[in-house]
Amino acid sequence: MTLPTEQFILNIGPLHPSTHGVFRMRVTLDGEIIQDVEPVFGYLHRGLEKLCEKHTYKQNIPLTDRLDYVSAINNNWPYVMAVEQLAGIQVPQRAEYLRVIMGELQRIASHLLAVGSLMNDMGIFYTAFMYMFREREKIIDLLEMVTGQRLLYNYMRFGGVSMDIPTEFLPALASFLKVMPGFLDEYDSMLADNEILLSRTKGIGVLSAEAAINASTSGPMLRGSGVKWDIRKTAPYSVYDKFEFEVPIGSSGDCYDRYRVRMEEMRQSLRIIQQAVVLLPAGNEKQPVPLRLRPAKGETYAQIEAPRGILGCYLVSDGTEKPYRCHFRAPAFINLTVLRNLLIGQKLADAIIIFGSIDLSMGEVDR
């Protein structure tokens, strides 16, 4: 016997942590089955790209930290690269290696928070989350040692980085690199056969490779669907062509694959950092650059492989000390576009898991 049902609309969010910040889903339900989803954002009202056109090139660097506050250093990178391309600024080799070390540390910290939050979302309460937060704190300590900050680092500069590493940094980093693989093994021992994890992620939120490509997704979202595309390999920037590392991919494109890709990417980031420490050259950490920089008229685009995917910066210079136009290709925003298709036909209980598997930073979405 089939019971007659009536569709109804349920608002989910904005709240934290179940929708990861200022985001609301307007969900149309038939019983527990999702029939339609309207993503609603705009609660931050940041206007960051417009703010960049009102400040000098250098004054804009701290603003990029706030794009994705979970991986602030990575958000400095494409912006300073774009300005360097416009102004013809050469970056010393030491600075390039320092950028890689800090960027990969930030990637691990971001993935730890992403995976830990996902475990919390699905009901594996606090244990995995707090373990991963514990190791994230070790990374934050390292970044604070270099920059003096724990969240928004304002680290990169045109022609290099803001400051060289202190003498105590490399020994502390070596200690972290020694113990972190063991902690990743510990996470796997807790989660690999966890019944809750497997039942809540296997076959849930499947994104096919074709759909992932057509939506222009990137990062773990794309690689979780089996597409081996990482611009650190396919279009190397900085000194990534000097390192040996693998690009983890999934096979099914479900929530489980996206989780596994992030876990394996942390191991690959450790490989990159270890090589960068060995190859770290002597020399200056930055080139002298005029405070009131005025790049020649023109336009450029620079991109990096950020923790959430391809993060790009498009700049137009009119020859003044302020950008005429500044636009960011925000991977979190683009990855969000597949949410509706992933949720339709799924149960309401799975909506938060699917949303969490995308790993969004709403500061980057609502910029």
Side-chain angles (χ1 to χ4, degrees):
M1 178 180 178
T2 303
L3 295 175
T5 59
E6 182 178 339
Q7 291 186 357
F8 65 99
I9 295 173
L10 179 68
N11 281 296
I12 304 176
L15 68 160
H16 183 82
S18 67
T19 51
H20 297 257
V22 279
F23 178 77
R24 177 163 67 99
M25 289 185 284
R26 194 169 181 266
V27 183
T28 302
L29 295 168
D30 185 354
E32 290 188 44
I33 306 301
I34 297 173
Q35 302 295 318
D36 198 7
V37 178
E38 179 189 353
V40 182
F41 49 91
Y43 294 98
L44 287 175
H45 300 291
R46 296 184 128 197
L48 188 142
E49 292 171 341
K50 199 64 181 176
L51 286 173
C52 286
E53 298 168 16
K54 303 299 180 184
H55 295 77
T56 66
Y57 285 95
K58 189 173 182 180
Q59 287 173 338
N60 286 330
I61 298 175
L63 296 181
T64 64
D65 281 328
R66 289 148 176 83
L67 270 171
D68 176 2
Y69 28 76
V70 181
S71 57
I73 284 179
N74 296 101
N75 285 267
N76 293 164
W77 209 340
Y79 174 72
V80 298
M81 281 174 59
V83 174
E84 286 161 359
Q85 291 173 12
L86 277 175
I89 299 170
Q90 296 297 315
V91 182
Q93 283 292 288
R94 182 174 179 83
E96 293 284 20
Y97 279 88
L98 291 176
R99 287 180 177 184
V100 168
I101 291 170
M102 303 307 165
E104 293 303 321
L105 282 172
Q106 187 79 92
R107 187 186 312 277
I108 299 171
S110 177
H111 282 353
L112 286 172
L113 190 57
V115 175
S117 298
L118 180 63
M119 299 303 113
N120 199 34
D121 288 345
M122 70 180 67
I124 306 176
F125 287 112
Y126 291 119
T127 301
F129 177 78
M130 293 308 297
Y131 277 30
M132 294 181 187
F133 214 86
R134 175 189 64 192
E135 272 61 73
R136 180 179 176 271
E137 281 297 299
K138 294 180 174 67
I139 296 174
I140 301 304
D141 288 342
L142 288 169
L143 297 178
E144 182 185 23
M145 191 182 297
V146 177
T147 68
Q149 307 297 325
R150 295 185 64 83
L151 184 66
L152 305 173
Y153 304 102
N154 188 24
Y155 181 59
M156 296 198 184
R157 293 290 185 273
F158 311 135
V161 294
S162 61
M163 61 195 78
D164 206 346
I165 52 176
T167 54
E168 64 269 22
F169 176 78
L170 288 180
L173 178 59
S175 298
F176 173 77
L177 294 175
K178 184 178 180 180
V179 301
M180 189 61 195
F183 288 125
L184 292 174
D185 293 339
E186 182 181 30
Y187 307 153
D188 280 337
S189 69
M190 285 193 298
L191 302 174
D193 298 319
N194 186 286
E195 186 177 348
I196 298 175
L197 171 65
L198 297 177
S199 63
R200 298 300 304 273
T201 58
K202 284 279 190 178
I204 304 297
V206 175
L207 178 66
S208 69
E210 181 182 10
I213 293 170
N214 289 342
S216 193
T217 64
S218 58
M221 279 293 291
L222 179 64
R223 294 189 285 276
S225 296
V227 181
K228 200 170 186 177
W229 185 264
D230 185 322
I231 63 171
R232 292 175 297 173
K233 282 281 193 183
T234 56
Y237 55 95
S238 187
V239 288
Y240 275 106
D241 57 343
K242 301 185 185 299
F243 306 123
E244 293 183 3
F245 63 99
E246 304 300 323
V247 178
I249 61 172
S251 56
S252 303
D254 55 13
C255 293
Y256 181 81
D257 278 350
R258 293 191 279 275
Y259 144 72
R260 284 309 311 171
V261 164
R262 292 187 178 98
M263 290 295 293
E264 292 305 316
E265 283 190 0
M266 287 191 276
R267 297 185 188 276
Q268 299 304 317
S269 290
L270 291 174
R271 285 184 64 189
I272 294 171
I273 296 169
Q274 287 168 342
Q275 295 172 70
V277 169
V278 172
L279 297 174
L280 180 65
N284 296 327
E285 77 280 4
K286 60 185 171 186
Q287 293 278 32
V289 174
L291 181 63
R292 294 288 187 174
L293 186 66
R294 291 179 172 83
K297 291 183 179 180
E299 59 183 335
T300 192
Y301 176 77
Q303 61 182 3
I304 70 161
E305 188 69 43
R308 283 155 193 78
I310 298 174
L311 172 62
C313 179
Y314 171 70
L315 279 179
V316 179
S317 170
D318 59 0
T320 66
E321 62 187 22
K322 301 176 183 178
Y324 175 77
R325 182 73 180 97
C326 178
H327 174 68
F328 291 94
R329 182 207 186 275
F333 177 77
I334 295 172
N335 292 346
L336 179 62
T337 62
V338 301
L339 179 65
R340 180 175 179 270
N341 291 337
L342 291 182
L343 291 184
I344 291 177
Q346 300 287 330
K347 291 183 178 179
L348 177 61
D350 294 325
I352 302 304
I353 311 304
I354 295 169
F355 184 86
S357 74
I358 299 176
D359 182 26
L360 297 175
S361 172
M362 293 309 297
E364 189 174 77
V365 173
D366 190 15
R367 64 198 183 285

